[in-house]
Amino acid sequence: THYRITTDGGEQRYIEAAGLAISHATTGARRIIGMVVDVTERRHLMFNLGERVKELRLLHEAATLLNASQADERTLSAIVQLMPGAWAYPECCEARIQHGPWSVSTPGWRDSPWTQVAPFTAAGREGRVEVCYVEERPPAQDGPFLLEEGTLIKSLADMIRTAIDASHAEQRRQAAELQLRQAQKMEALGTLAGGIAHDFNNILTAILGNTALALSEPGDGTVRENLVEIDRAGRRASDLVRRILL
């Protein structure tokens, strides 16, 4: 049974109480064995934990709005700095997030036997969220960490996976759009060059045709030499147009 009591000093405390009545088989005498546990600190820890989870969820929502091309490492750095405050003993809690080439951690991170790990896979790369106590904590049901903290670190790993996947999907979409725009530019440039080359080729055809007619007439001298130069230059220009069209 749970009770809230007020001490003589006016402080609010929370206790859990349990009792068992036992009767003597011969005399019939009865006694009650009971146990009272002060759970005030645990209740406060759980309340603070709930508030910290809200902060991390708000951070996740903000992280998903960051630009995909520069979000990943910056997002992880922002999240990892807030993580210790969400655990029961923030004064000796450190955190680290690893994903692909990135590894970000709080300043005091070091290897510890009291470590929680939540692995995840995002954008085809393995990652992990880690929380450790750099000092030994009183063991709870699952060691030094509360059961709710195990749920929290797994939820956080899932949030990070979702944010990174969304960032990379947006990055791929932007890259595809850029590639499409480049292809459209090249297509437009090819159409323009082809149109100009065809028009120029028509002009050259007229020049070379009339030059050939002029050369077919008998005669010599400077005029004929000039016609030969015109024909030679025209053929070079015609070859250039052919290469432009190719």
Side-chain angles (χ1 to χ4, degrees):
T1 308
H2 298 266
Y3 297 96
R4 185 177 66 180
I5 63 173
T6 303
T7 65
D8 293 340
E11 182 183 5
Q12 296 288 322
R13 307 292 296 182
Y14 297 88
I15 63 172
E16 289 182 357
L20 177 65
I22 301 177
S23 299
H24 193 280
T26 304
T27 64
R30 305 186 67 187
R31 69 175 64 182
I32 295 178
I33 299 176
M35 180 177 64
V36 177
V37 179
D38 189 330
V39 295
T40 305
E41 183 180 359
R42 190 172 71 190
R43 287 180 63 96
H44 288 165
L45 283 175
M46 295 311 302
F47 175 77
N48 292 336
L49 184 63
E51 292 300 309
R52 292 168 187 143
V53 170
K54 293 178 184 178
E55 294 177 3
L56 288 174
R57 290 188 182 278
L58 290 175
L59 176 65
H60 164 66
E61 293 173 2
T64 57
L65 300 178
L66 293 176
N67 182 273
S69 62
Q70 56 186 0
D72 293 339
E73 191 170 12
R74 191 174 62 196
T75 301
L76 298 183
S77 297
I79 292 175
V80 81
Q81 299 305 322
L82 291 184
M83 284 173 58
W87 263 254
Y89 303 97
E91 70 279 2
C92 63
C93 181
E94 302 293 341
R96 179 170 68 177
I97 301 175
Q98 296 176 300
H99 180 253
W102 294 297
S103 179
V104 294
S105 63
T106 49
W109 172 268
R110 61 179 184 267
D111 291 336
S112 167
W114 308 288
T115 303
Q116 267 185 320
V117 180
F120 66 92
T121 302
R125 291 174 172 172
E126 299 298 320
R128 52 197 284 136
V129 181
E130 299 173 274
V131 174
C132 77
Y133 288 132
V134 294
E135 301 173 6
E136 185 175 5
R137 292 292 93 191
Q141 184 173 348
D142 274 357
F145 298 100
L146 299 176
L147 289 175
E148 291 78 8
E149 291 174 335
T151 302
L152 174 59
I153 194 172
K154 291 176 183 177
S155 176
L156 188 57
D158 188 60
M159 290 179 184
I160 293 171
R161 176 191 59 78
T162 301
I164 292 177
D165 281 342
S167 293
H168 280 257
E170 175 65 16
Q171 190 173 11
R172 289 193 298 271
R173 185 190 66 80
Q174 292 181 357
E177 286 185 352
L178 178 61
Q179 187 176 15
L180 176 61
R181 286 196 296 270
Q182 289 296 105
Q184 290 172 336
K185 289 178 182 178
M186 293 302 295
E187 182 180 6
L189 181 60
T191 301
L192 176 63
I196 293 174
H198 276 294
D199 289 342
F200 192 48
N201 196 51
N202 291 336
I203 297 172
L204 285 174
T205 299
I207 293 173
L208 290 172
N210 283 285
T211 302
L213 289 175
L215 287 171
S216 66
E217 297 292 332
D220 52 14
T222 304
V223 173
R224 188 172 186 84
E225 291 176 0
N226 290 338
L227 289 173
V228 170
E229 287 300 322
I230 291 173
D231 183 73
R232 185 179 295 116
R235 294 183 185 280
R236 287 200 304 268
S238 181
D239 182 64
L240 177 61
V241 169
R242 182 183 59 80
R243 285 187 289 166
I244 292 174
L245 288 174
L246 289 176

